Amino acid sequence: DVDASGTAFPVEVLRSMDTCALQGWFAWPVAPNPGGTMQLYYAPGARRVLRSPADPGDGAYTAHVGFNDWQLGAPVNVELHLAVQRGSVTWYTCDMPVPTDDNIYNLSFVVRDADGTYDNNGGYNFDIRMRPS
């Protein structure tokens, strides 16, 4: 499978798409390093919380991202772009720079659709443990 630019996805990402299809989200790498970059992947159809847009292209979903349970710095909004259709699951993704901070321990995010509806994982956010620097 390739993304819209024709770049092939790493095998590990494709495996994660398959194993995480029911939960509808994952991050790559699984435990990112502070100062690095990670990719957030989100499958709105699998989550069944947000409406599918009439145009499934870019701009349909935005991730609202914060660190250390929303306490480290100001949260940021990152637009998700269409990544790939894998089987019956449509995946969206974004690149997320991870701050350089010795005390960073998690990334939390929620996803908003163009109508302003949020998927906050049933009130628990989507949380990713960070690798210590």
Side-chain angles (χ1 to χ4, degrees):
D1 289 311
V2 297
D3 65 14
S5 68
T7 304
F9 287 95
V11 170
E12 296 86 358
V13 171
L14 294 173
R15 284 187 188 133
S16 292
M17 286 178 179
D18 294 341
T19 58
C20 297
L22 291 178
Q23 77 181 25
W25 74 278
F26 69 95
W28 188 259
V30 174
N33 292 314
T37 300
M38 63 185 295
Q39 291 79 43
L40 302 177
Y41 288 88
Y42 181 78
R47 298 283 313 154
R48 299 179 187 199
V49 175
L50 304 179
R51 262 184 26 160
S52 296
D55 176 10
D58 293 349
Y61 303 101
T62 302
H64 184 69
V65 182
F67 293 91
N68 289 5
D69 299 316
W70 308 100
Q71 301 301 310
L72 179 65
V76 297
N77 292 318
V78 183
E79 184 177 300
L80 297 167
H81 61 272
L82 185 59
V84 68
Q85 178 81 30
R86 185 136 170 99
S88 63
V89 180
T90 302
W91 288 97
Y92 288 77
T93 189
C94 67
D95 289 333
M96 184 67 219
V98 179
T100 301
D101 189 305
D102 291 338
N103 299 313
I104 191 168
Y105 58 84
N106 85 327
L107 174 148
S108 298
F109 74 99
V110 298
V111 178
R112 177 178 48 89
D113 65 18
D115 293 333
T117 302
Y118 282 86
D119 180 358
N120 65 0
N121 198 25
Y124 293 98
N125 301 318
F126 299 99
D127 287 317
I128 300 156
R129 182 176 304 276
M130 307 307 273
R131 183 176 299 151
S133 59

